[in-house]
Amino acid sequence: MSRSVGPAACLSQALADLRDDTVPFDRAMLMVLGTAIGTPEVTDERQRRDLALRFAGRPDVLDAYIARLRSYADDASGDGWFGACL
């Protein structure tokens, strides 16, 4: 993906990734979270609903992802800003 791609394209790619079970879940999550942090207003209602449904359709994967992030944060808690970012 090019650096010049905008937030809407990133979210569209995240949706495509979530539809494809061969694409790592982390890739879609990073695109969604990174886009939402930078420009939350870029998503329309349909895109938000589609993303929510795709994430809800993978509860075990989402739970594992969140558990891994918590573990990273716990492991890095003594490292100042790094732990805070996680």
Side-chain angles (χ1 to χ4, degrees), residues 17 20-29 58:
D17 289 352
D20 183 350
D21 289 335
T22 65
V23 176
F25 189 77
D26 292 0
R27 183 169 122 168
M29 284 298 294
R58 294 180 166 186

Side-chain angles (χ1 to χ4, degrees), residues 11-23:
L11 291 177
S12 292
Q13 183 62 51
L15 276 169
D17 289 352
L18 288 168
R19 290 182 188 110
D20 183 350
D21 289 335
T22 65
V23 176

Side-chain angles (χ1 to χ4, degrees), residues 24-68:
F25 189 77
D26 292 0
R27 183 169 122 168
M29 284 298 294
L30 289 172
M31 282 193 279
V32 169
L33 294 173
T35 301
I37 289 168
T39 51
E41 68 280 356
V42 300
T43 60
D44 61 26
E45 185 64 32
R46 181 175 161 227
Q47 202 168 33
R48 285 192 300 269
R49 186 180 61 247
D50 288 348
L51 285 166
L53 288 171
R54 292 289 167 182
F55 286 124
R58 294 180 166 186
D60 295 338
V61 178
L62 185 57
D63 286 346
Y65 184 84
I66 292 170
R68 192 170 62 245

